[in-house]
Amino acid sequence: MPVQASTAEATTTLTLGKDVAHVALSPYLGYFHDTTAEDDVDAAARRLAQGQFAPLPGGRSAFGFRTGAFWFHTRVVNNGNPEQRWLLVQSYALSDNVDVYARYPDGHTTFQAGGDHLPFSARSVRYRHPNFWLTLPQGQPVDVFVRVRSESSMQVPLDLYTTVAFAELSRDSQLVIGLYYGILLALFFYNLALWLSLRDASYFWYLFHLSAFGLVLFTLNGFGFEYLWPQSSWLSDRMVPLSICLAQIGMQQFARIFLGLRERWRTGDRIGLGLISFFALLGIASTWLPYHVSTPIASAAVLVSIAWIAVVSVSVVRRGYQPAQLFLLAWGMFLLGTGLFVAIAFGLMPKTFITEYGVQIGSALEMLLLSIALGHRYAALRNENERIVREAKDQLEHKVQQRTVELRSALGQLEDAHARLRESSQRDALTGLHNRSHFRDRFESLLRQSREHRRPLSLLMIDLDNFKLINDQHGHLIGDDCLRWAARTLGHGLRPHHDALLARFGGEEFVIVLPGLNLSAATQVAEDLRQHLRDQPFRSEDSQITVTASIGVHAIETVSFGGIDPLLQLADQALYRAKADGRDCVRTSQVETV
């Protein structure tokens, strides 16, 4: 067993016997509150020598929300314990900065830093709580100083573990927490299936509350920092108040719908909406408010929120709504567990197994009872609906259903016809590409976007060379097939450019808009398309025809307000330049609109 020295000077000295594997350090700690957070380890050592360190008040290591930094000290003497490498663990996941100094008799000092304001990879062991390796040679007194500064609740439960003891601790705690989240996941998927089949809003808000509160505990237990945002100290701070607010929004909305407050108690319903608005505003504000401001407000508001739900539950029970009895019992469990959590956060109660895991125990019971209450409520609603259906006339019900089916069918057919008509009006009947009218509408929209975001935009005019000869020599049917082939080939060549707009401009002419490409990039695309057409001859039933194209390129670096016709004219002029230079080539306008 660890031994505490009896002299007043050594009230923070811990002696490790040979059989010790785990020690809770609270009885052996002295602390000092550095309100200015300016002391370094040398200043802390001087304060220790001057007797300014005091034992933990009542043996509790929770101080609530406090400013400044807290220094903790203990002197550890390894008295024959074969283990010299120990792990110091702070069993609270939300501390911002934790600095650990170990001073040895030969005068050298080691330093380690942790907390959720450092990347998760900085920890000695990949574990949800801050941890630090300490070397404790036999027979040598080692002064251990721990400095904690955090905007969250100042909770500093420190423990020393051997490697084996820590492995057993992590195994057992992971099992308990795994069981808890397993229960939550089982309830989530069970009620998700019910919601998908029933489409009852109360099931949706139950799932919302369950997910949000699971995120709260995932954050408080340190798993969020470990698995979801290990590099983000900003999220580590903001997710606590934000997830609390989301959970309270889900709780209040679920209570309003489940208890039917709008019909049974309008005043209570309005107060519930007011609380929802408050938590929504607080959640938004928590993204920029200091952590030490938003988190205490959110934590204190939790008690008010749950107490209010208990009040409305009692009120609805007194109004004769039977499912509210289970609802009230569920919230009683949750209120108890959450009250323990808030009391620890403000330093009002010591941190024990019951107080530390009370919120998990209470919330698991609450989720289970709420799930049962939802089933009871659904059964009551179903019985009521069956009674109403039995009282209705079967013939009238059949006619209503028949007319409804006919109306839905007619509306569905009308919508399909309208969609087909709208699509056909935007497509070229021969090639299946967008037609000229649709192209102009889309081009104007792309111009506006380019102007707003100051991004380049390029325009390509493409004309198939000597296309009249194909019609004259092979017939117009072959010519039509050739146009369809050209449309497919151009579309295939534009696959890397997902936002490109391709349309048939008329006859054997095509037009392409390339958002985000300047003149050089658009010219390269045009050259690739020209080569693509030339390298893949068009094949008809009995002949193979090499098809070439002349392409004009115009790039709009800064979009003007003069409309699209001048831009089309510039691209068209570049196209005619390509034809004048012998066809089967790409030419640019070399003009930018300003």
Side-chain angles (χ1 to χ4, degrees):
M1 293 293 291
V3 178
Q4 183 175 358
S6 60
T7 65
E9 182 182 355
T11 52
T12 58
T13 299
L14 167 65
T15 302
L16 300 175
K18 63 179 181 179
D19 296 325
V20 175
H22 162 236
V23 182
L25 295 185
S26 293
Y28 310 99
L29 287 176
Y31 85 100
F32 172 76
H33 184 195
D34 177 15
T35 56
T36 62
E38 294 178 354
D39 284 1
D40 58 12
V41 66
D42 293 327
R46 287 193 297 271
R47 292 186 184 277
L48 176 67
Q50 295 167 6
Q52 297 184 35
F53 277 62
L56 297 182
R60 298 203 301 265
S61 58
F63 297 86
F65 292 88
R66 305 286 292 274
T67 58
F70 277 73
W71 284 90
F72 301 88
H73 167 264
T74 186
R75 176 170 293 177
V76 183
V77 178
N78 186 344
N79 188 17
N81 195 299
E83 283 288 339
Q84 298 187 26
R85 196 164 186 250
W86 294 70
L87 191 67
L88 177 65
V89 179
Q90 184 205 6
S91 302
Y92 180 65
L94 303 182
S95 293
D96 296 342
N97 297 100
V98 183
D99 299 331
V100 175
Y101 302 85
R103 288 195 158 189
Y104 295 86
D106 61 1
H108 82 278
T109 301
T110 64
F111 167 75
Q112 299 175 70
D116 62 11
H117 276 199
L118 293 178
F120 189 83
S121 57
R123 299 189 175 182
S124 298
V125 176
R126 290 186 57 83
Y127 185 63
R128 59 194 178 97
H129 291 153
N131 55 86
F132 313 87
W133 284 116
L134 293 179
T135 300
L136 302 175
Q138 292 186 9
Q140 296 185 26
V142 179
D143 286 300
V144 179
F145 291 87
V146 179
R147 180 183 184 271
V148 181
R149 186 177 185 186
S150 180
E151 293 186 5
S152 66
S153 174
M154 185 61 66
Q155 300 182 42
V156 194
L158 296 172
D159 293 82
L160 272 178
Y161 295 90
T162 63
T163 304
V164 174
F166 177 76
E168 294 175 352
L169 163 76
S170 58
R171 179 198 62 190
D172 295 340
S173 63
Q174 297 289 77
L175 173 63
V176 173
I177 294 175
L179 288 174
Y180 173 79
Y181 284 108
I183 293 172
L184 258 61
L185 283 174
L187 290 173
F188 177 88
F189 286 111
Y190 172 74
N191 287 280
L192 176 63
L194 291 176
W195 176 64
L196 291 175
S197 60
L198 302 176
R199 295 297 178 177
D200 187 338
S202 59
Y203 281 96
F204 171 82
W205 288 108
Y206 172 81
L207 292 171
F208 185 95
H209 162 60
L210 189 150
S211 302
F213 193 77
L215 180 61
V216 172
L217 294 183
F218 208 70
T219 303
L220 294 178
N221 290 332
F223 292 112
F225 186 53
E226 181 176 358
Y227 296 109
L228 301 182
W229 48 85
Q231 304 297 324
S232 176
S233 61
W234 187 88
L235 277 177
S236 295
D237 286 346
R238 298 299 183 268
M239 282 307 296
V240 174
L242 183 57
S243 60
I244 289 175
C245 290
L246 289 174
Q248 298 310 305
I249 291 172
M251 286 165 53
Q252 292 293 334
Q253 183 65 8
F254 175 75
R256 288 182 61 246
I257 294 177
F258 184 93
L259 299 175
L261 293 182
R262 182 177 298 178
E263 297 78 23
R264 294 184 175 90
W265 189 18
R266 294 301 299 271
T267 301
D269 185 62
R270 293 190 185 97
I271 295 175
L273 287 172
L275 286 171
I276 290 173
S277 301
F278 167 80
F279 282 110
L281 292 174
L282 180 59
I284 296 171
S286 67
T287 60
W288 54 267
L289 279 175
Y291 183 87
H292 68 273
V293 174
S294 60
T295 300
I297 295 175
S299 299
V302 168
L303 289 179
V304 176
S305 175
I306 300 176
W308 171 249
I309 291 178
V311 170
V312 296
S313 301
V314 171
S315 177
V316 173
V317 167
R318 295 180 63 182
R319 284 171 168 78
Y321 186 53
Q322 295 301 317
Q325 295 177 352
L326 273 175
F327 185 88
L328 179 60
L329 179 60
W331 287 115
M333 298 294 101
F334 187 68
L335 178 61
L336 179 60
T338 306
L340 293 174
F341 159 73
V342 174
I344 294 176
F346 285 93
L348 302 177
M349 294 186 66
K351 194 168 187 178
T352 64
F353 178 85
I354 296 298
T355 58
E356 182 178 4
Y357 292 100
V359 67
Q360 282 93 336
I361 297 171
S363 61
L365 292 174
E366 176 245 359
M367 300 295 181
L368 182 60
L369 289 171
L370 284 183
S371 183
I372 297 172
L374 276 172
H376 187 270
R377 175 180 178 273
Y378 173 71
L381 291 175
R382 182 185 60 190
N383 293 336
E384 179 69 12
N385 288 336
E386 289 175 354
R387 184 185 64 81
I388 294 173
V389 169
R390 284 195 300 269
E391 292 175 356
K393 293 183 179 180
D394 293 338
Q395 185 177 5
L396 178 61
E397 179 186 3
H398 175 72
K399 288 183 179 180
V400 170
Q401 291 177 349
Q402 184 178 14
R403 295 294 182 268
T404 301
V405 170
E406 293 173 354
L407 179 60
R408 287 178 178 173
S409 177
L411 288 175
Q413 293 174 4
L414 182 61
E415 290 177 356
D416 291 342
H418 179 69
R420 289 194 298 270
L421 179 61
R422 183 173 62 252
E423 178 66 18
S424 64
S425 69
Q426 299 174 350
R427 295 285 178 178
D428 173 59
L430 177 62
T431 63
L433 298 178
H434 291 298
N435 57 28
R436 186 168 182 169
S437 173
H438 179 68
F439 165 77
R440 293 181 71 89
D441 293 339
R442 287 284 295 122
F443 189 24
E444 288 183 353
S445 174
L446 291 172
L447 281 172
R448 286 194 300 270
Q449 295 175 17
S450 179
R451 183 164 55 240
E452 292 171 359
H453 300 289
R454 302 190 64 83
R455 296 178 61 214
L457 190 72
S458 295
L459 179 65
L460 278 61
M461 293 287 288
I462 303 173
D463 184 80
L464 302 183
D465 296 331
N466 302 313
F467 187 77
K468 186 175 182 303
L469 292 177
I470 296 177
N471 282 332
D472 293 344
Q473 295 177 5
H474 301 278
H476 287 281
L477 293 180
I478 297 298
D480 290 346
D481 287 342
C482 183
L483 286 174
R484 284 189 284 267
W485 167 84
R488 290 193 301 270
T489 304
L490 290 173
H492 180 77
L494 290 172
R495 282 183 180 177
H497 308 280
H498 303 292
D499 51 354
L501 172 62
L502 170 63
R504 185 185 180 193
F505 201 66
E508 64 273 18
E509 288 189 348
F510 301 88
V511 63
I512 298 173
V513 179
L514 297 171
L517 298 188
N518 58 20
L519 181 63
S520 175
T523 302
Q524 184 60 51
V525 173
E527 185 62 35
D528 293 342
L529 292 175
R530 183 193 66 79
Q531 194 68 35
H532 205 47
L533 287 169
R534 183 181 183 86
D535 292 346
Q536 299 182 18
F538 165 65
R539 293 178 175 81
S540 64
E541 296 180 354
D542 53 359
S543 61
Q544 178 173 298
I545 304 170
T546 299
V547 179
T548 63
S550 299
I551 304 177
V553 182
H554 175 63
I556 308 110
E557 297 294 343
T558 304
V559 181
S560 67
F561 293 81
I564 66 174
D565 288 332
L567 304 176
L568 291 170
Q569 185 176 0
L570 290 171
D572 201 39
Q573 290 173 1
L575 170 63
Y576 276 97
R577 233 167 104 250
K579 287 182 173 294
D581 289 348
R583 305 179 189 272
D584 190 21
C585 62
V586 176
R587 295 294 181 266
T588 66
S589 64
Q590 295 295 332
V591 174
E592 295 181 0
T593 60
V594 180

